[in-house]
Amino acid sequence: MSSVPSSLTDKAQSFSVEGAVVAVAFQKKAAILIGGMGEALRIEGEAETRFTLHDGGVLDVRSDGKRLLSGGDDGRVVELSAEGEVQVRAEHKGRWIDRVALGPDGAVAYSAGKTAYVLPAKGEARSLEVASTVGGLSFAPKGLRLAVAHYGGVTLWYPNLVDAKPDLFGWKGSHLGVAFSPDGRFLVTTMQEAALHGWRVSDGGHMRMTGYPARVKSFNFSADGKWLATSGSSEVILWPFASKEGPMGKQPSMIAPSSTARVSSVACHPKDPVVAVGYEDGMVLMARISDGAEILLRAPDGSPVTATGWRADGGAVAFGTANGSAGIVTF
């Protein structure tokens, strides 16, 4: 590290789940830790509840602070409510549910192979087949519009408009994770190569974000949409998105450097310009975007950090690792 950060490691509560921690989330005041073998641990105050979401591996998880949606290799799409109720939203026996997403007004999306599905809270399910296996799903911030990432780009689809032809934002290569900026002006994907690609939604203008030593597996927009925090290097790479051109023609900022390990997980604070940063050696930091000031939340122990996440009010952060250990720090 560039300097020795202050520490809050003594405030971390420790937990564990079966398999690697594939996701951490909060529902109101309750923390949810999702293990790779289908187990979920719900922690609220002193109460701990363990239950099973999937009979097998968990492939993707998304949470909006109220609902949590997961897909598994058991073919099930499972929704966990803030009250701790588990509901199977869809099931495709013999298929893998590769990607999931949470949308407005109770809608959810998921994919199996080349097909993306949208389940509105009311009404019929819709489906769309794309050119290759779906790499990522993301709903636009406003309106029922779904971005479906795949080989060759991203398809933007209005599932409620039956006769409307989906729009293709093309770019060669395999596109995996996908996200809209908070204001909906930009769309960004992670790629199989060590790069990101982006588009202006208004006109499809391209944005290339390259220079990474490793593939970007974790990325997250700041709450105000001015920065995109990414993994893939030995420090957090922050791309500027405040202007109408996004990061084009601009150099990224860099914070929270490590001399021993690459960043493996990033999660931006829900209100403030702060990032929770996990590393491949197990260290977790909290870093301020404006000046790079750091606070140590977890000392390195050799097990890569696989998930980080904030409570909706910013009053707690959770993190998990590849060996199933997890921690929660409450401020």
Side-chain angles (χ1 to χ4, degrees), residues 100-221:
V100 296
L102 288 166
D105 301 322
V108 303
Y110 66 93
S111 68
K114 297 180 180 180
T115 306
Y117 301 85
V118 170
L119 304 176
K122 298 179 180 179
E124 296 182 6
R126 304 285 184 186
S127 65
L128 175 73
E129 186 167 318
V130 293
S132 67
T133 299
V134 174
L137 298 171
S138 180
F139 281 98
K142 295 180 180 179
L144 193 65
R145 193 181 198 189
L146 183 69
V148 185
H150 48 80
Y151 189 88
V154 178
T155 296
L156 291 184
W157 173 41
Y158 286 103
N160 284 346
L161 302 180
V162 179
D163 298 325
K165 184 179 179 180
D167 298 316
L168 174 64
F169 282 19
W171 188 260
K172 62 183 179 180
S174 182
H175 298 261
L176 302 174
V178 60
F180 285 92
S181 59
D183 58 12
R185 293 189 300 139
F186 302 104
L187 185 66
V188 177
T189 62
T190 61
M191 301 190 69
Q192 187 65 43
E193 60 186 275
L196 301 169
H197 196 80
W199 297 264
R200 274 194 310 268
V201 175
S202 61
D203 60 5
H206 292 280
M207 295 170 283
R208 292 200 71 196
M209 289 157 275
T210 60
Y212 290 91
R215 184 160 69 87
V216 179
K217 297 182 179 181
S218 179
F219 68 135
N220 192 215
F221 276 98

Side-chain angles (χ1 to χ4, degrees), residues 222-224 227 255 268-275 287-291:
S222 60
D224 58 10
W227 300 97
I255 61 172
C268 291
H269 190 283
K271 298 177 181 179
D272 300 327
V274 171
V275 186
R288 195 161 54 205
I289 292 175
S290 60
D291 60 4

Side-chain angles (χ1 to χ4, degrees), residues 238-264:
L238 293 162
W239 293 97
F241 274 81
S243 75
K244 64 180 181 180
E245 299 298 326
M248 292 309 297
K250 301 179 179 68
Q251 291 297 314
S253 297
M254 290 160 277
I255 61 172
S258 170
S259 59
T260 58
R262 288 177 179 153
V263 174
S264 56

